[in-house]
Amino acid sequence: MSESEAAPVPSAHNLGYGPIKTIAMRLNESTRVQLDIIAQLNDRNVTDEIRLAIDAWIEKTRSDPVVQERAETVRNEIEHEASTKCDAIAAIFDARDTATKASRPRSSAR
């Protein structure tokens, strides 16, 4: 099979990863060599091994009760901050809209 006839390599998008962002990381030589060997033994490339490891770590973290509790606290903090900002915007613009409406002459029905 020539290069032009080679089977296409599946992209990360085709593997279900959606849009891809690049991340750079530094590993010591020993870790990198171990990762290379693991990828080779699993018939995968290093990038796929890293993705699988990160996916597993995320799944493990999701089920950690301490992390779940912290996530709820952070979510509540975000919602409180968003609510405060929405109230501030409403106060600024609702006050201006009210003042604008009050300064307009009312049309009388004759």
Side-chain angles (χ1 to χ4, degrees):
M1 188 181 272
S2 71
E3 282 186 38
S4 62
E5 296 174 9
V9 176
S11 68
H13 182 69
N14 291 340
L15 297 174
Y17 285 102
I20 300 296
K21 294 207 174 217
T22 300
I23 185 171
M25 61 186 297
R26 299 183 192 284
L27 299 173
N28 64 42
E29 186 176 352
S30 174
T31 301
R32 176 55 199 243
V33 170
Q34 291 176 60
L35 186 56
D36 288 338
I37 291 170
I38 290 169
Q40 181 182 6
L41 293 172
N42 289 324
D43 292 325
R44 289 192 279 259
N45 61 46
V46 170
T47 300
D48 288 340
E49 288 297 331
I50 292 169
R51 283 188 186 123
L52 290 168
I54 291 171
D55 289 347
W57 176 250
I58 290 171
E59 193 56 40
K60 178 181 177 189
T61 301
R62 261 191 200 128
S63 62
D64 183 335
V66 173
V67 175
Q68 289 174 353
E69 186 176 321
R70 178 68 181 132
E72 187 62 31
T73 300
V74 169
R75 179 182 293 132
N76 290 338
E77 290 169 359
I78 291 168
E79 288 174 355
H80 176 73
E81 182 179 352
S83 176
T84 300
K85 288 180 179 182
C86 285
D87 290 347
I89 289 171
I92 293 167
F93 293 103
D94 289 350
R96 186 179 73 183
D97 290 346
T98 303
T100 303
K101 289 176 186 172
S103 66
R104 280 191 237 153
R106 292 185 178 192
S107 58
S108 57
R110 294 184 190 182

